[in-house]
Amino acid sequence: MSSTEQPRGPIDSSRIPRYAGPATFARLPRLDEVGRADVAVVGVPFDSGVSYRPGARFGGNAIREASRLLRPYNPAQDASPFALAQVADAGDIAANPFNINEAVETVEAAADDLLATGARMMTLGGDHTIALPLLRSVARKHGPVALLHFDAHLDTWDTYFGAEYTHGTPFRRAVEEGILDTSALSHVGTRGPLYGKQDLTDDEKMGFGIVTSADVYRRGADEVADQLRQRIGDRPLYISIDIDCLDPAHAPGTGTPEAGGMTSRELLEILRGLASCNLVSADVVEVAPAYDHAEITAVAASHTAYELTTIMARQIAGAGTAR
Ligand SMILES: N=C(N)NCCCC(=O)O
Ligand SMILES: [Zn+2]
Ligand SMILES: [Zn+2]
C-alpha cells in the first residue's frame, strides 16, 4: 500500500450479512487481494506437538469463523484498527503433520517471508510448538525480543518422549537459542500441577517472572498490566497467548485445560493496558474447536486477536516505530 492509499477494510456487514461468504479474519481482504499488509493474519494448522487432546490444527479456521462478528471500531482502545493500517488475511502456512522438525522449519521460512514484506504477524495456531519458529524469525529481524507468555503452563519443559519440539517446550528452546531478551520474560495466568518443584527453579533460572492466575485475581488487571509494562519498557515485544490461560469456563475448547484460570475480561483488560508497548508480532494458539461449545473459545480467541491487532495498527499509524 502506498502512503496515499487508504487501507482496504472488512466487508461491510450492513450490506452483506456477516454470516455470508468465506471466513477471513474479521472479514478482511486476503493478502493476495491487497498486495501487501502492515499486519498479516496467518494461520498455522499444525497440532502434531500436543501432549494430550489433539485438534488445534482446526483452531485458526474456528477463530476466523468466530471473527465474523468483530466490528471495525474498538472502543476500548479508541481506534479503528483496519482503517489505521492495512490488515489482511495471509491464509495458512502448510506444515507437515508427520514430521515436526520439518514443520518447524516450514513455519520459520514462511514467517521470514512475511516479515521480509514489512508486515507484523498475527498468527492463529495451531498448538504452542509453533511459537519457537515464529520467535526465531522475529528475532532474526529485531534481535532478542521481550516475551509475554499468557498460558496456564510454563512451556519451558525440556523434552517429551525424547522430542525437543513440542507444545510444552518452545520457550526453553528459545532461551537456549538466545532469541529472547532474558531481562524481560513473563508468564501470565500460570496455574495447575507441575511435574516437580524443579520446574519452577529451572524456569526462574531461564529468566522468567511469573504472574499466576491467582495474582491476576487478587491484584487486578490494571496493576498487573502496569507491572508488565514497566518490565518490558520500549523493547521489541512478542506476545504469545495460549488460550488455555483462560479458565475452562471461558475456553473449554483447548487441549490441556486447567481449572482456576483468568476470565476473558481479565485477559482483554491486561492487553489493553499494554497498548503503548512496541508489539512486533503475536500469536493466539491452542484453540481446539472439537472441545468447544457455542464457539465460547473461538469467540474469546477472536477478540484476543482483535485487541492485539489493534495495538499493532495503532503503533503503525502513530509512532512510526520499527516495523
Ligand atoms: N502448551 C500447552 N497448551 N500445554 C503444555 C502442557 C504440557 C504437558 O502436558 O505437560
Ligand atoms: Zn497451555
Ligand atoms: Zn502453551
Side-chain angles (χ1 to χ4, degrees):
M1 193 181 73
S2 81
S3 54
T4 51
E5 273 175 75
Q6 291 301 307
R8 192 164 141 198
I11 291 171
D12 181 353
S13 292
S14 67
R15 295 168 63 89
I16 302 176
R18 51 169 53 98
Y19 40 83
T24 55
F25 181 74
R27 309 190 82 203
L28 285 158
R30 298 191 315 264
L31 182 56
D32 63 278
E33 294 174 309
V34 289
R36 71 160 297 280
D38 300 304
V39 180
V41 182
V42 63
V44 184
F46 173 84
D47 65 3
S48 307
V50 301
S51 57
Y52 199 50
R53 299 168 176 170
R57 65 181 61 179
F58 300 109
N61 281 340
I63 297 169
R64 289 185 173 109
E65 279 295 335
S67 74
R68 290 173 181 275
L69 187 53
L70 295 171
R71 301 182 190 84
Y73 175 64
N74 182 343
Q77 294 194 49
D78 187 23
S80 297
F82 312 135
L84 290 176
Q86 180 64 63
V87 186
D89 194 315
D92 286 343
I93 298 171
N96 187 338
F98 300 107
N99 185 329
I100 299 183
N101 291 11
E102 185 189 315
V104 164
E105 281 173 25
T106 303
V107 173
E108 189 177 335
D112 282 348
D113 289 347
L114 273 176
L115 292 179
T117 68
R120 302 186 194 210
M121 281 184 297
M122 177 62 253
T123 307
L124 310 175
D127 77 48
H128 225 151
T129 310
I130 66 170
L132 177 65
L134 294 169
L135 282 166
R136 281 178 180 166
S137 181
V138 166
R140 193 169 294 122
K141 177 160 185 166
H142 296 279
V145 289
L147 173 70
L148 258 186
H149 168 223
F150 292 81
D151 202 319
H153 308 100
L154 301 168
D155 290 0
T156 52
W157 286 292
D158 191 3
T159 57
Y160 286 79
F161 292 83
E164 294 191 316
Y165 298 152
T166 76
H167 80 153
T169 56
F171 303 116
R172 179 182 291 238
R173 294 291 92 78
V175 169
E176 288 169 352
E177 294 179 18
I179 59 180
L180 299 181
D181 180 341
T182 51
S183 63
L185 306 180
S186 302
H187 305 293
V188 185
T190 320
R191 64 190 186 277
L194 301 171
Y195 297 96
K197 200 165 181 170
Q198 189 66 34
D199 295 353
L200 294 171
T201 316
D202 291 349
D203 190 80
E204 196 182 346
K205 272 198 205 128
M206 288 176 232
F208 282 92
I210 294 183
V211 179
T212 67
S213 61
D215 292 333
V216 174
Y217 162 70
R218 292 206 179 92
R219 293 168 43 203
D222 290 347
E223 195 183 310
V224 167
D226 285 350
Q227 182 206 337
L228 294 170
R229 220 176 34 239
Q230 277 169 29
R231 185 163 174 145
I232 295 157
D234 56 6
R235 295 173 175 85
L237 171 68
Y238 188 94
I239 298 185
S240 183
I241 302 191
D242 185 326
I243 206 65
D244 73 25
C245 69
L246 300 180
D247 190 85
H250 293 258
T254 196
T256 46
E258 311 282 349
M262 293 191 290
T263 65
S264 47
R265 183 175 55 221
E266 286 170 329
L267 172 61
L268 296 174
E269 280 298 305
I270 293 172
L271 294 178
R272 290 163 187 155
L274 300 168
S276 63
C277 293
N278 180 20
L279 181 61
V280 293
S281 282
D283 65 56
V284 179
V285 299
E286 297 283 348
V287 172
Y291 300 95
D292 208 2
H293 303 274
E295 292 188 297
I296 295 171
T297 315
V299 167
S302 75
H303 283 252
T304 301
Y306 182 64
E307 292 301 331
L308 293 165
T309 305
T310 305
I311 297 172
M312 292 192 254
R314 287 181 65 200
Q315 283 166 6
I316 289 159
T321 48
R323 285 182 177 174

